[in-house]
Structure formats: structure tokens, C-alpha cells
Amino acid sequence: MSDPTLLVLASLAEGDKHGYAMMLDIEAFAGVKLGPGTLYGAITRLEQQDWIRPLKSADRRRPYTITPAGRGHLQTELAGLQQVVKTGLARLRHA
Amino acid sequence: MNRLAKWIMRLYPAAWRARYGDEVDALLADSGSDARVVADLLQGGIRMRISMWSFSKLAPTLAIAGMLAGFGGSFLVTPTYRSVATMQITHAKINPADNPANRIANLNETIQQMETTVLSHTSLSLVVTDSRLELYSDERKTMPMEDVIQKMKRNIRIQFVSLPGRLGRQTSAFDISFTYPDASKAQQTVRALMERFDQQNQAMQAHHGGPGEVLDVLDTASLPKLPVFPDRRSFAVAGLLAGLTMATITATIRRISRQFTMSLPSPTA
């Protein structure tokens, strides 16, 4: 999975995080190191879709939270991916 | 590197910087920056900037960029030059009773006979291996002579030229051209081909036993100054059209997906 928007949603599904925390989390669970341009490009798009929301912060490190719509989108996308993975693995076993 | 990363941030639209600039600054302070980070920011900035442009701004920008790329790219292509000479052939003795059309048809037939011999494998291999010319030296190392000759033939053109008025009823003329990456060698090769035509004409006269046709040079082999390929103007125009096409495709995709359209949300803080 290398779609940065899905990676950000998957990271926020675990809890609210600011940009750097997301970057570290994504690297840890997916092995993908997102650059700041890619990360904030994804954050921008996710905010436009109302799939994530910024939280109040006195710090420059503004945390984000996933919205119910974002959670629903992530669930749909992951279910689709799961189906692909399941089918692919089954076909590999029978090949 | 951090300074460079911050400088690249200027590429991002002002509205985006006002909304996310501090956050990215803080991220860079925490993560540090290296060449990969700088490249990522640069790519993101360009994408964001282009995604915000209207078609009226995107089209001329990509068209100009394409035109410059096409023009610049034309310098990466090996240029080829074409040298041209014109020869004319006339009957040594003109019988006024002859039909001019038949006369010209006979001359054209003679030219075609000479052309067959001049462009034969034996004749062209002598031209290719001429120590003064040393044509296709790289190709000759890797390709059989037959293929080199075929390649040379594709670069030689013999074309009839129509002559005006009375001259056109007595004389038949033809162009000999050769295209090659070296302008001087192109010229020398055309000269060599002209010599071969001359030799062939003399051989035909000797064979028929008498003065048959007179072969003259109308225009000596030219020394080309400008290449015939690449045509830099065509390359630039192709680049311009490619840029316009890219702009149209980008605008269409953007309109369909609406994914990259910027309408920044207001900050919650």
C-alpha cells in the first residue's frame, strides 16, 4: 500500500497525531518514509474531503483526527485491498 | 539543507503556506532535511502550484516549456547535411526534325541507365571505401557492406529537374543529392557521384562508338551550412503542441476528478 492518503488515514485510525508523529508511525507500520511534501499534500486532500480534521493546538505541531466519514472511507478501501490480497494469495497457492 | 527546504516552500501557493507553512516548518525542524526531503518538497510544490493554475495559465506555460524542451532536444540529435548538384545532358548532335518530347524521353532513359550503373553495389562500394571519403566508417565495423550500401542508397536522391523554355525541349537535367552527418563529406560524395556519371557517359559513348550525349554540370555540389535534420523549428513546434496537449489532458483530468482543486479549509485554531 503506497497511497499516502490511505497511509495517513490508517495512522490516524489509531489515534490523533501531528505531522511528524504520522511520519514516524507510517514508517514503522508500513515501511514507507513519506516526505513532507507528500505528507502535507495528502493531509490537504484529506481535509478537503472531510476525512480528517485539524484539532486546536497552541503549538505549531497541529494534531489531526480522523472523521467518521474518513473512518468509513478507510474501511471501504481496506476491505477492497483485503479482497485483492486474499485472491492473490489463493491464486499463488494454486499456481 | 534546511534553508534550501524552506526556500523551496516559497513554491507553494501563498494561501497554502498560510495554512500549513508553520506545520511543515515544525516537521522539518523535527525530522531534519536531506536531498530526498528537498526533492519531495520541490515535487509537491510544483504539483500543488500546477494543480491550482487555470487552463489559461497552464496552457501557455506548458506550451512554452514544451517548445523550449523541443528546441533544446533538437541539439541532442546528430545533425545531417544535404549537398546537391545539378547536371544536364544533351544530345551531341540535335536533329531539328526530331520530336522534342521523344528527344527528352531518350535523354531521360539515358540518365536512368547511367543511374542504375552509378548506384550499383560495385560503384557505391568504391565510393564508400574511397580513402578520401571514408564514409560510414562506424557502420562498416559492425554491418555487412551490403547493408552499408543500402543505407547509403537511402541517402542518395537522383531527381529530374524541369528546365524552362527552349532549353527544356533540348536538354534533360537532374539533381544528385546526398545526405550525411558531415557536410564536407556530403559535398565530396556528390562530387564523386558526378564523376561516376561522367565516367559512365564516356563508357556509353565508347560502347556506341561516337559522340552520343554531352553531360554538363549546371550547379556544382553545394557545401551545406545548415542541417536538413533536425529541423529545429519543427522540433520546437512539436514541443509546443505536446505542451498544449499535456495542458488539455491535465485540465480535463482535473475537471473530472476534482481531487486536486484547492479550496483550503479554514484552520480550527
Side-chain angles (χ1 to χ4, degrees), chain B residues 44-58:
Chain B
I46 291 169
R47 279 184 66 176
M48 187 135 328
R49 180 66 73 174
I50 289 176
S51 73
M52 291 186 72
W53 282 352
S54 62
F55 182 74
S56 59
K57 194 171 178 184
L58 190 67

Side-chain angles (χ1 to χ4, degrees), chain B residues 17 27 50 59 70 86 89 97 101 113 117 120 146 153 160 186 197 225 236 266:
Chain B
R17 283 205 313 271
L27 178 69
I50 289 176
T86 309
I89 188 166
Q113 282 171 10
T117 313
S120 67
E146 184 58 43
K153 267 189 181 176
F160 288 110
F197 266 97
K225 288 190 173 59
S266 53

Side-chain angles (χ1 to χ4, degrees), chain A residues 35 37-38 44 47 61-62 64, chain B residues 16 19-20 23 30 40 269:
Chain A
T38 307
T44 307
E47 253 201 280
R61 292 166 183 80
R62 187 191 304 277
Y64 289 85
Chain B
W16 191 92
R19 169 64 185 85
Y20 295 103
E23 289 180 49
D30 289 337
D40 183 74

